[in-house]
Amino acid sequence: MEVKKLYGKIIKDDARYDYTQKFLEGKGIKFGDENSNPNFILFPFKEKINNTFDEKFFGNLSKDVLIFSGIQNNYLKLVCEKNNLNYEALMNSDYISILNAIPTAEGIISYLIQNRKTTIANSNILIIGYGRCGKVLADKLLALGAKIFVNTLNKSDYAIAITHKIIPNPQINFREKIFDVVINTAPAQTISDENLKLLSNETLLIDITSVGFDIDIAQKKNVKSARLLSIPAKFALQTAGEILGEYIYKKVLKCSQGKKSDLA
């Protein structure tokens, strides 16, 4: 049976996309043939969409084409709904979030090694949030000899944490306990302004979500603090690009075969 040729188009604004394209080319997907109807179009990760891609452009696309972007783009969402096209923001995918947990954890660890004067071993580290990233990060830090505490809203996660030799820390109170490192992985403000003022100046405070704490207050208090956003793109560029490529390839392949993808 002849294998159907697959075509793609990528509008690049992010270095990850170079590795995404290379991964997809390795799977046999062709790029650069303007005479072929693409099976998918990957739009900029977060930049605005060029005026070239107007409603007429989307109206002329095949209804089978898959439209992707990095983070959600409101224009793409609206124009694809209007033209009955399949659109997906890659960063909304649970599948990609799970795979990104490993390079995210390794990026945090790299930052800790480069920005502290002591080893991770024997450090008291509080991880706020015990989701995909929090679990992977906790296990990797434990393997390096750190003493790990975890704070989470999901009380059943404390039972899981205990089996991994992680210490539950239900209440965040920096007056009662001093940590060497505090890492927020939860997508909410988890450290109050009052708690920030109680932090030791020797504590390194890290937020990977941009909303975990008020960084201005932390810096005024001279607390060592950092926001580490889009970690996979900064610490594991190739892996991050290949994760996107793998996801797109599986989606496109299923669609070309007339099957519904089981990825989310």
Side-chain angles (χ1 to χ4, degrees), residues 53-69:
F53 302 103
D54 55 16
E55 292 208 19
K56 182 179 179 181
F57 171 85
F58 287 96
N60 289 331
L61 289 174
S62 164
K63 300 303 178 186
D64 294 328
V65 67
L66 300 181
I67 306 295
F68 299 100
S69 65

Side-chain angles (χ1 to χ4, degrees), residues 121-137:
N122 301 315
S123 293
N124 289 328
I125 300 178
L126 171 64
I127 297 174
I128 303 173
Y130 199 56
R132 299 181 189 93
C133 181
K135 288 183 173 72
V136 172
L137 178 60

